Amino acid sequence: MQHEDIHKDLKEKAIFLAEYAATLEAVGAQTSRTSYNTKRIAKSFGYWCNMVMLPNSVSVTLHNENREHSYTYVKKTPELGLNFNINMKLSHLSWLASDNNFSLDELWTRFKKIVSEPRESRWTVLVLASLANAAFCRLFDGNYTSIAIVFIATFVGFFVRQELLKRHWHILAVFTISSFISTMIGSTDYLFFHGGTEDMSLGTSMLYLVPGVPIINGVMDMIDHHVLNGIARLTKAFMLVVCIAVGLTFTVILLDVNPLTVTKVSYPNVLLAAVKDGLFATIAGLGFAVISNPPRKALLITAVLACVGHGIRYFLMHHESLMLDQVTASSIAGLSIGLLAIPAAMKIHYPAEGFAFPALLPMVPGMFAYKAIRDLIGLVRTPDTTNDCVNMFFHNATLTILVMMGMVACCVIPIFIFHKQSYSVTRDE
């Protein structure tokens, strides 16, 4: 092959690989999966591939076999939103390229077909996300009045979020406005209904906004030595949480509600309560999974994993002979989800994290994060309780971080142990 032909071939294939990798990053694949898939396709071309994965861009350098020629292409990561269905199909495409030596034209055709597939109906997502957050409210012992209020608050807030994103508003503004609208509706329990679990109505009304998948992906990237991308994802998630807090703060100050009340409910039959807890977690896991647009064959398994994981955590925390703390119980539950996700992934040829991440979301310590924000508001509004508010803020903030780190780290341990199986499950469909 002449030098000009080699250069042209390297250029065309580097452009495709950069587009492929950037799309995988944008739809929520963790950095390792993106890297393995991209290099697998490059190998099918007969080229060596070096990649630099940055928070907002992907750099792909292709070399021919004897390293005499190379081409580098940098692609900005597009704004696509989470889409586990595209994640799965693009991963499968990398194996098809490896096994069948597809031409570049064939790969482009299949790639464009995958990324152009329509998402789940926005109304289906809207209803299921609202049901999921209402179930989330029940997991935190909200009564039926609170569940109804949270459903309405989520429906309206999520609808506003969809509309603003469709109009290309900045994501930080979208989260602030959606949080404000949802918490305004959630606060009606304080103002009008007085249902008995008013703090749950307000505290869970905006938890559908908590960026659980970016947090989980960020922790996974950190563990997997992709520190820069991990820090970037966690930083973005932190900024979104701050926006949620700002929306909540506006509501509390504007309506002058007191978020410091605490609801405490106990159940005499712990086993029955754990079963009920798991069933509500099933609804929550299913609804949160739909937001990420997974293939429908994955939804049932996600729901089962959410049920098992949350039920295990509840039992470990409340059984009188165990009474584990939430960090330990969440870590054990996360490990259980990770272990079950591997055989499920091998069964239906779908990435294990596609089950595990949505199943973990009902265990995201959203109420601890809410209480930390509430303590900051109390610090500003009631200076005479400064010491108590400061102590409680650090207590709740620390628990939030430890619970997240514990359950995510334990969940991904099986994925790393069964590394070969985890990254090859998409070879067949």
Side-chain angles (χ1 to χ4, degrees):
M1 187 182 293
Q2 298 295 321
H3 288 183
E4 294 81 4
D5 295 335
I6 293 175
H7 183 78
K8 180 181 178 182
D9 192 56
L10 285 169
K11 176 181 177 180
E12 290 175 346
K13 289 174 178 175
I15 290 173
F16 170 78
L17 291 174
E19 186 77 32
Y20 173 90
T23 302
L24 261 180
E25 281 284 285
V27 299
Q30 78 270 26
T31 305
S32 290
R33 181 172 295 278
T34 301
S35 178
Y36 288 138
N37 290 352
T38 306
K39 291 178 180 179
R40 188 178 299 125
I41 298 175
K43 187 176 181 181
S44 75
F45 293 147
Y47 291 141
W48 295 94
C49 178
N50 291 320
M51 298 181 64
V52 177
M53 310 286 288
L54 298 172
N56 290 316
S57 62
V58 175
S59 174
V60 173
T61 300
L62 282 186
H63 304 266
N64 64 341
E65 191 170 342
N66 55 14
R67 305 294 180 100
E68 291 179 346
H69 303 279
S70 65
Y71 190 88
T72 299
Y73 187 80
V74 179
K75 169 68 179 177
K76 179 178 172 60
T77 306
E79 296 287 342
L80 296 179
L82 294 173
N83 195 319
F84 287 164
N85 191 40
I86 290 180
N87 182 351
M88 177 194 72
K89 292 188 175 182
L90 288 183
S91 297
H92 180 57
L93 180 62
S94 72
W95 284 109
L96 288 175
S98 176
D99 294 339
N100 298 284
N101 294 318
F102 283 152
S103 67
L104 183 60
D105 289 339
E106 176 69 15
L107 285 172
W108 269 119
T109 299
R110 290 174 177 260
F111 173 82
K112 291 176 180 177
K113 181 180 179 181
I114 291 170
V115 298
S116 63
E117 289 183 2
R119 294 180 67 95
E120 190 68 63
S121 164
R122 62 172 295 189
W123 297 107
T124 301
V125 174
L126 185 59
V127 172
L128 289 178
S130 302
L131 285 171
N133 209 36
F136 214 13
C137 175
R138 174 60 184 78
L139 291 175
F140 291 112
D141 298 323
N143 60 19
Y144 289 111
T145 301
S146 293
I147 290 172
I149 291 172
V150 169
F151 178 88
I152 296 170
T154 305
F155 189 94
V156 176
F158 202 98
F159 177 79
V160 170
R161 172 184 166 177
Q162 289 178 327
E163 290 297 309
L164 295 180
L165 288 176
K166 188 166 67 174
R167 290 164 173 76
H168 305 291
W169 281 48
H170 195 283
I171 187 67
L172 299 182
V174 172
F175 268 60
T176 302
I177 294 170
S178 299
S179 173
F180 175 68
I181 291 172
S182 293
T183 52
M184 285 285 285
I185 297 173
S187 65
T188 57
D189 203 2
Y190 281 102
L191 301 175
F192 306 112
F193 301 107
H194 307 291
T197 56
E198 294 92 332
D199 55 325
M200 296 297 105
S201 302
L202 177 62
T204 58
S205 62
M206 69 331 191
L207 290 186
Y208 68 95
L209 291 168
V210 173
V213 173
I215 293 174
I216 295 169
N217 262 334
V219 173
M220 191 169 182
D221 279 348
M222 295 280 285
I223 295 172
D224 206 20
H225 307 297
H226 297 286
V227 177
L228 184 59
N229 270 11
I231 292 174
R233 281 174 161 158
L234 291 174
T235 301
K236 182 178 180 180
F238 173 75
M239 294 173 66
L240 294 176
V241 171
V242 170
C243 291
I244 298 170
V246 170
L248 170 63
T249 303
F250 284 160
T251 294
V252 171
I253 294 175
L254 183 63
L255 299 182
D256 195 30
V257 298
N258 178 16
L260 300 178
T261 57
V262 178
T263 297
K264 183 67 176 177
V265 180
S266 60
Y267 300 97
N269 190 327
V270 175
L271 182 59
L272 180 60
V275 173
K276 290 181 179 178
D277 190 80
L279 292 177
F280 279 102
T282 300
I283 301 172
L286 183 64
F288 290 138
V290 169
I291 297 174
S292 306
N293 195 47
R296 294 191 175 183
K297 63 182 181 180
L299 289 176
L300 177 61
I301 296 175
T302 300
V304 171
L305 292 184
C307 176
V308 171
H310 214 287
I312 288 174
R313 185 177 79 163
Y314 188 95
F315 184 81
L316 293 175
M317 290 177 61
H318 294 88
H319 193 276
E320 60 182 7
S321 64
L322 298 171
M323 301 296 287
L324 297 183
D325 61 273
Q326 187 155 347
V327 176
T328 305
S330 298
S331 300
I332 294 173
L335 180 62
S336 302
I337 289 174
L339 288 171
L340 292 173
I342 298 297
M346 296 173 67
K347 178 69 175 178
I348 71 167
H349 308 292
Y350 179 68
E353 61 271 18
F355 303 126
F357 290 2
L360 284 177
L361 292 181
M363 294 195 295
V364 168
M367 282 305 297
F368 281 131
Y370 161 71
K371 289 175 181 178
I373 297 166
R374 179 201 64 187
D375 296 330
L376 282 180
I377 297 172
L379 180 63
V380 175
R381 299 183 72 192
T382 54
D384 55 317
T385 62
T386 296
N387 290 337
D388 291 339
C389 289
V390 169
N391 291 336
M392 289 306 300
F393 167 75
F394 280 105
H395 171 75
N396 288 316
T398 302
L399 274 177
T400 301
I401 295 171
L402 291 177
V403 170
M404 281 297 305
M405 290 294 294
M407 72 177 189
V408 174
C410 289
C411 180
V412 301
I413 283 173
I415 295 176
F416 290 142
I417 292 176
F418 301 100
H419 186 271
K420 183 177 179 180
Q421 292 86 344
S422 299
Y423 287 101
S424 63
V425 293
T426 55
R427 191 166 196 169
D428 299 304
E429 278 192 319

